[in-house]
Amino acid sequence: MARASLDYLRQQLEELERAGTALHPRVLELHQAARTRFDGRDVINLASNNYLGLAAHPRLKAAAAEASMEYGAGSGAVRTIAGTMTLHRELERRFAEFKGAEDALMFQSGFTANSGTVAAILSKEDVIVSDQLNHASIIDGARLSRAEIQVFPHKDWAAADRLLDETKDRGRRQLLITDGVFSMDGDIAPLPDLVQIAEKHQAIMMIDDAHASGVLGPGGKGTVAHFGLDPSRVDIQVGTLSKAIGVLGGFIAGPSHLIQWLVNRGRPFLFSTSAPPGVAAACIAALDVIRDEPERIDRLWTNTALFKAGLHDRGFDTGMSETPISPVIAGEETKAVELSHLLWEEGVFTPAIVFPTVARGQARVRTIVTADHTEEDLREALEAFEKVGRKLGLI
Ligand SMILES: *Cc1c(COP(=O)(O)O)cnc(C)c1O
């Protein structure tokens, strides 16, 4: 019989169930695609981060398979001992070039790239000035660093400016940090203003481009390129290999001394085994595909415009989105859960996002279109939204 020590978790889970906020992830039974099968149901998939349709692209699959056959299934060690392979270094060179940075470093995930980097470059005397809607991995990194955390209202660069002013002290380092594209709202950080105030205060400027790499700016180079900024004005660019790139991992791009410092002090880099060769090879292939098939990014944005206009014309509230992420705001938690459920019944998969991931009264379903959706997929999804939206009195 199980011991009683963990019984409190059962009670806490029951509370989640009663509140309707317990998570029961749907199971994907085929490959990640615009139309695929979850939990035995064929659906139009508006839930993945597979922006460019690379997760199951033939060139990525072939690269992963070939590298696995040649170099094995695993890397066998952490990067700093015996787990740095030629493929890791090649990928890092390619990402440095992609981002216009001196060098880059691969992490096991975007999450560890953020948390490991913020924790490695600051200490408890320092200050972090962070957008209210920044990703959980930034928040965890900030906590691990033990620096003072000052949060500014979403996108309010004037407030960030004031916080940098108020926390200025001789010898105290300051980090200004923002997501490039905000994952729950799909809006874009006011990077030119943030960069300017970081320069004014001589603060470190760091941007998390998890939802922007491969999506925003010419060639999908991210938020810095989207605004036409010189990459040298942003100290640290974070990217994930898990979203538009279609595989798994994270990376940091920046000056060589930053990268070398992270090799020495980035704890996930030092204490957790590196990515398998198949993963690194597939990421390199993804960069090749992004270069060779620029029409994917064009299709992503054509689809984004079509879908957003369709939601808007039908009277849905899509918040402040400017990217392929479109929230459809339902308000009450139960309404968002109902919206997601009824759409599922109509063959459209789009998850409900509720408190604490978003503020109360801002519950929503979050849609993400990809380059792989056809016009027919999107029109069919919009019809389902219209039918269900009327039923729920949202439009
Ligand atoms: C998804 C996400 C991450 C984490 O990336 P993973 O590679 O999935 O760990 C970090 N930051 C933001 C803004 C994200 O949306």
Side-chain angles (χ1 to χ4, degrees):
M1 224 183 54
R3 300 178 60 212
S5 351
L6 292 177
D7 277 358
Y8 68 103
L9 295 180
R10 195 174 301 135
Q11 286 152 20
Q12 287 173 200
L13 276 170
E14 281 163 8
E15 278 166 34
L16 290 183
E17 290 293 350
R18 266 197 302 278
T21 55
L23 298 174
H24 301 284
R26 295 199 184 280
V27 177
L28 175 58
E29 292 166 0
L30 304 170
H31 63 284
Q32 191 62 261
R35 279 185 191 262
T36 186
R37 186 180 304 150
F38 288 88
D39 289 350
R41 183 181 284 262
D42 292 320
V43 290
I44 297 169
N45 177 9
L46 293 175
S48 88
N49 301 311
N50 188 23
Y51 289 105
L52 299 176
L54 298 184
H57 190 287
R59 281 175 71 181
L60 273 74
K61 290 199 286 186
E66 282 162 22
S68 301
M69 292 311 286
E70 191 164 349
Y71 299 106
S75 73
V78 302
R79 286 286 300 271
T80 48
I81 299 192
T84 293
M85 305 178 87
T86 313
L87 285 165
H88 296 131
R89 283 306 296 151
E90 186 184 338
L91 177 64
E92 286 164 345
R93 273 194 296 277
R94 290 288 301 273
F95 262 101
E97 194 183 289
F98 184 68
K99 288 289 184 181
E102 249 173 48
D103 204 354
L105 196 67
M106 185 185 187
F107 280 78
Q108 299 86 346
S109 69
F111 197 106
T112 57
N114 266 328
S115 61
T117 299
V118 174
I121 62 170
L122 296 180
S123 59
K124 65 177 190 301
E125 295 79 36
D126 303 328
V127 188
I128 298 170
V129 175
S130 174
D131 188 288
Q132 175 191 6
L133 296 186
N134 276 348
H135 191 258
S137 52
I138 292 177
I139 297 167
D140 283 14
R143 288 179 183 153
L144 285 168
S145 75
R146 294 184 292 161
E148 177 185 335
I149 303 167
Q150 292 286 349
V151 173
F152 62 88
H154 185 46
K155 289 178 55 164
D156 187 347
W157 54 269
D161 188 15
R162 281 193 298 277
L163 287 171
L164 285 168
D165 214 33
E166 284 163 20
T167 55
K168 203 185 287 291
D169 245 329
R170 214 170 315 135
R172 211 175 182 203
R173 291 183 192 88
Q174 296 179 302
L175 170 69
L176 179 57
I177 186 163
T178 185
D179 282 9
V181 170
F182 291 87
S183 54
M184 295 301 150
D185 293 279
D187 53 344
I188 303 172
L191 191 62
D193 297 310
L194 292 172
V195 163
Q196 211 168 7
I197 67 169
E199 284 168 351
K200 174 174 136 195
H201 295 282
Q202 294 179 312
I204 303 162
M205 182 74 231
M206 176 164 171
I207 184 164
D208 175 3
D209 254 354
H211 283 279
S213 290
V215 173
L216 267 194
K221 289 178 194 293
T223 309
V224 172
H226 168 75
F227 286 112
L229 295 171
D230 185 328
S232 69
R233 295 179 70 191
V234 174
D235 298 289
I236 309 175
Q237 295 188 67
V238 186
T240 178
L241 307 170
S242 326
K243 290 177 177 143
I245 309 302
V247 195
L248 177 68
F251 68 89
I252 297 290
S256 311
H257 48 282
L258 166 72
I259 300 308
Q260 285 315 307
W261 180 252
L262 295 175
V263 167
N264 286 278
R265 288 290 184 274
R267 290 171 71 83
F269 188 86
L270 286 151
F271 296 111
S272 182
T273 296
S274 57
V279 167
C283 291
I284 294 168
L287 286 175
D288 292 341
V289 173
I290 289 172
R291 181 195 59 208
D292 298 344
E293 301 179 18
E295 63 276 13
R296 284 184 179 269
I297 297 177
D298 297 341
R299 266 206 316 276
L300 172 64
W301 286 96
T302 311
N303 283 347
T304 297
L306 186 152
F307 193 66
K308 263 194 210 309
L311 288 171
H312 202 257
D313 293 347
R314 284 167 178 78
F316 285 104
D317 176 3
T318 58
M320 310 167 283
S321 170
E322 307 163 74
T323 66
I325 301 171
S326 298
V328 177
I329 296 168
E332 295 301 313
E333 326 251 287
T334 48
K335 205 139 212 183
V337 171
E338 183 74 354
L339 176 59
S340 172
H341 174 73
L342 292 174
L343 285 166
W344 172 259
E345 296 291 321
E346 295 293 324
V348 175
F349 179 26
T350 177
I353 314 275
V354 298
F355 180 82
T357 308
V358 295
R360 285 198 198 282
Q362 286 287 303
R364 62 194 62 185
V365 298
R366 183 184 64 164
T367 66
I368 298 182
V369 301
T370 71
D372 267 2
H373 286 94
T374 63
E375 197 174 322
E376 194 195 326
D377 296 335
L378 297 177
R379 295 204 185 282
E380 204 178 310
L382 285 167
E383 276 166 32
F385 264 98
E386 182 168 346
K387 182 172 165 189
V388 171
R390 281 190 202 292
K391 191 165 171 182
L392 293 178
L394 290 172
I395 53 171

